[in-house]
Amino acid sequence: MAEATASLLTLERGTATHPGERAWLDVHQTAYRKLLTEDPVTALLVRGGFGRGWMADFLTPTPLGEGEPAFAEELLELRRTPSDDARADLAVSLRGPLPGELDRPDLPDRAADLLEWVWNETVLPYWPRRRRIIEADIVVRAQQLTQGGWAAALDDLRPGMRWLGDGRLQINAYRHPPQQISGAKVLFVPVTSRHCWVSWDKPRRYAVTYPCSGPLVEADRAPVPRALRALLGAARADLLVLLDTPKSTTHLVALTGQALGSVGRHLKVLLDARLVWRRRAGRSVLYYRTDAGECLVEAQKDC
């Protein structure tokens, strides 16, 4: 649900942060605009609900945090939102009374229908790769937490967030009163776009949705030249292309979907061929391309 919501925000705002996202927008934005042109009520709902300073709470539901619910289950939770709550949330994001077109009981269903379209048409075809990016980010954050504590893991999670120590987390730069949430479940939810938000189901669950680190997203979208795959084999070529920035074996496992043993064997071959080097960073061993590896990838890009 978070990934679908983030994708909806990207479609609505029409701006991309890297070439891969621009290509995705070029494929899907025309159909999205056509859909909303034919449904002006839902178009008004999206514009009003995703304000620049505040998002309507019912449009960003807090994940259940128990296992991995199917997308249909998450949609059902959205559809169950009381219509009065949805209208009240919209009034907050609009910072004023609702226009007459939005004073209606079917707003949760309309939002769910739109998110279902976004998921099926614009996210699901890319979901295996996006999921690997998300899993890779979780691996990196877990390593940061282990090696440097909460400050290392959370300080660059999203703009305005930082760990203050003594059990205190600043989630943004707004001057809202602090909240005591001891005993509640706090979830950190990565998405592959730049969008971020916070949500809550007081007093039980709170969630911080944040963008995956840029290098992960960029790496997943880098094309692997056909000639390079023919030369090295698909698995080794994939690893070599991904190693434009240093990455650990667990990181590479999450990005490629290859087994840990396979990644290790392919890295050894690339090391022996002096196409990659490795270095230790804290408790991690990071791999990256050598000059020879760079030349090989660059030489094959147009093949």
Side-chain angles (χ1 to χ4, degrees):
M1 176 69 86
E3 184 69 15
T5 302
S7 297
L8 172 57
L9 281 162
T10 302
L11 287 165
E12 176 61 23
R13 292 174 181 169
T15 55
T17 55
H18 56 79
E21 192 168 58
R22 180 72 263 166
W24 176 83
L25 271 173
D26 289 344
V27 170
H28 298 291
Q29 195 167 32
T30 299
Y32 172 75
R33 294 298 182 202
K34 181 176 184 293
L35 184 73
L36 291 193
T37 299
E38 295 171 352
D39 186 354
V41 174
T42 301
L44 188 60
L45 166 61
V46 173
R47 288 197 299 271
F50 291 126
R52 291 290 177 178
W54 193 266
M55 297 182 189
D57 289 353
F58 83 100
L59 294 177
T60 55
T62 303
L64 298 176
E66 299 170 357
E68 187 175 340
F71 183 67
E73 295 177 58
E74 296 183 294
L75 277 183
L76 185 58
E77 288 295 312
L78 175 57
R79 293 186 190 279
R80 288 172 175 163
T81 304
S83 58
D84 287 346
D85 291 354
R87 289 195 291 268
D89 291 346
L90 274 174
V92 174
S93 63
L94 287 166
R95 300 182 181 180
L98 266 65
E101 299 93 326
L102 293 180
D103 189 10
R104 51 193 301 148
D106 63 346
L107 298 179
D109 281 326
R110 285 180 173 273
D113 289 344
L114 180 60
L115 278 167
E116 188 171 23
W117 181 90
V118 169
W119 170 260
N120 287 327
E121 299 298 325
T122 78
V123 178
L124 191 58
Y126 312 92
W127 180 239
R129 302 183 75 191
R130 290 193 184 193
R131 181 170 180 162
R132 287 200 295 271
I133 293 173
I134 289 168
E135 290 171 343
D137 186 272
I138 293 170
V139 169
V140 172
R141 297 291 173 187
Q143 288 177 336
Q144 291 174 337
L145 180 60
T146 300
Q147 296 168 10
W150 286 108
L154 300 182
D155 276 0
D156 67 342
L157 204 68
R158 47 169 280 157
M161 174 177 281
R162 62 192 182 100
W163 180 251
L164 303 177
D166 298 324
R168 296 176 299 145
L169 176 64
Q170 176 181 301
I171 59 171
N172 57 40
Y174 296 125
R175 294 186 175 276
H176 296 310
Q179 294 193 41
Q180 173 61 250
I181 63 171
S182 296
K185 181 177 292 185
V186 182
L187 306 168
F188 297 96
V189 185
V191 292
T192 62
S193 79
R194 75 187 189 284
H195 300 292
C196 51
W197 62 88
V198 296
S199 59
W200 49 78
D201 181 9
K202 296 180 181 180
R204 301 172 297 158
R205 298 192 314 277
Y206 296 77
V208 177
T209 300
Y210 68 92
C212 292
S213 67
L216 292 180
V217 179
E218 294 284 4
D220 186 68
R221 296 178 185 273
V224 179
R226 293 191 301 273
L228 189 64
R229 285 177 176 254
L231 177 66
L232 299 178
R236 287 174 197 156
D238 287 349
L239 292 176
L240 189 62
V241 169
L242 283 169
L243 289 175
D244 57 336
T245 58
K247 296 178 178 68
S248 68
T249 53
T250 50
H251 194 156
L252 291 167
V253 166
L255 279 173
T256 63
Q258 298 181 38
L260 180 61
S262 295
V263 168
R265 288 192 296 273
H266 293 315
L267 286 173
K268 184 179 187 305
V269 172
L270 295 173
L271 276 166
D272 291 343
R274 297 187 178 181
L275 296 176
V276 302
W277 291 133
R278 63 184 175 188
R279 61 178 170 83
R280 182 167 291 279
R283 298 180 183 178
S284 298
V285 176
L286 301 177
Y287 293 82
Y288 56 98
R289 290 201 297 251
T290 63
D291 289 344
E294 291 285 353
C295 289
L296 182 59
V297 171
E298 289 297 319
Q300 302 298 321
K301 276 191 174 178
D302 295 327
C303 299

